[in-house]
Amino acid sequence: MLALVFAVAAAVLDWVGVARKRSSLEYVGKPAVLMMLIVWLLSQAPSPMPFPATLFLIGLFASLLGDILLMVPGNRFLGGLAAFLVADLAYIAALNGTGLPPLAWGLPLAAAVAVTIAILLDRLRRGLQSSGHGWVFPFIAFYGIALGGMVWSAVATPFRPTWPPLAGWVVAVGGLLFFVSDVTNVWNRFLQPVRGGRLTTHILYHAGQITLTSGMLLMLRVP
């Protein structure tokens, strides 16, 4: 649990850095959050580590790489996007590797997520074209599809027979927080500045990653 405490402390340090525009605090706090979550998962998961947990660990490492690429100076947006694409795919594999939800829940949730992603991507496409950044849309659209798969995998988890209810709902909340963080980030970056957009993005992102990891560990601890 000490690693979780350090992860939360690092997240707060990062938020202070964003709020006060002190990049030095961000450079320390932001990667430290994912590092501590990796340590937490490694220290708490059973040995040998179950395959879904290994896939989830890959997602955390990919997220850490994405954080670093998007944080350091220079235009590394596409590199960061690619890293988080890998993270989303790893989370999808980790969650669905434990069993699919019943169709009665899985299909309606998939339809709701698909419609939401389609609406957001259409709004983003029009905004990027009008601002002269239309070239980036195919990359974001591809990522958006993967993000939709991740959020569906998360919100469907409470209905998976192999997951205890508490762990499933914790993962569902984490996936939604991650999703809203990404939407806020893209909206603030490419469509319309959001007041406190960067800080909101960071808070939601860290809350999502911490909650997702908590849910995975809750599932692993159940016999």
Side-chain angles (χ1 to χ4, degrees):
M1 290 296 291
L2 189 59
L4 174 60
V5 173
F6 282 135
V8 173
V12 173
L13 181 67
D14 174 70
W15 303 343
V16 172
V18 173
R20 298 187 177 181
K21 298 182 179 180
R22 295 182 61 181
S23 58
S24 59
L25 296 182
E26 292 186 56
Y27 289 166
V28 174
K30 192 174 184 183
V33 178
L34 269 295
M35 290 178 185
M36 289 298 100
L37 290 181
I38 290 168
V39 171
W40 188 35
L41 182 62
L42 287 171
S43 64
Q44 297 297 316
S47 181
M49 182 178 288
F51 189 57
T54 301
L55 292 170
F56 191 88
L57 183 65
I58 293 172
L60 289 177
F61 272 110
S63 298
L64 173 60
L65 176 60
D67 282 345
I68 293 171
L69 288 173
L70 293 177
M71 179 181 63
V72 298
N75 187 10
R76 294 177 173 83
F77 176 75
L78 291 183
L81 196 69
F84 278 108
L85 172 64
V86 173
D88 283 338
L89 294 176
Y91 289 157
I92 290 170
L95 296 175
N96 290 289
T98 60
L100 295 174
L103 290 179
W105 287 105
L107 287 180
L109 288 171
V113 170
V115 169
T116 302
I117 294 293
I119 292 172
L120 290 172
L121 287 178
D122 180 65
R123 175 66 180 86
L124 180 62
R125 176 187 59 80
R126 290 185 282 112
L128 288 172
Q129 288 178 345
S130 64
S131 65
H133 295 93
W135 65 272
V136 79
F137 176 73
F139 301 99
I140 295 180
F142 191 66
Y143 175 79
I145 294 171
L147 178 64
M150 187 282 292
V151 75
W152 173 81
S153 300
V155 298
T157 300
F159 310 104
R160 301 178 194 274
T162 53
W163 278 71
L166 176 59
W169 284 111
V170 170
V171 164
V173 171
L176 287 172
L177 289 169
F178 193 111
F179 172 73
V180 177
S181 169
D182 272 357
V183 172
T184 304
N185 184 34
V186 171
W187 200 278
N188 185 60
R189 186 179 186 121
F190 293 109
L191 294 179
Q192 182 178 354
V194 178
R195 185 175 181 180
R198 284 195 71 234
L199 180 58
T200 300
T201 296
H202 282 229
I203 292 174
L204 291 172
Y205 168 70
H206 288 139
Q209 291 280 25
I210 291 170
T211 309
L212 282 168
T213 307
S214 300
M216 176 58 70
L217 284 173
L218 282 171
M219 189 275 288
L220 293 174
R221 290 175 183 175
V222 175

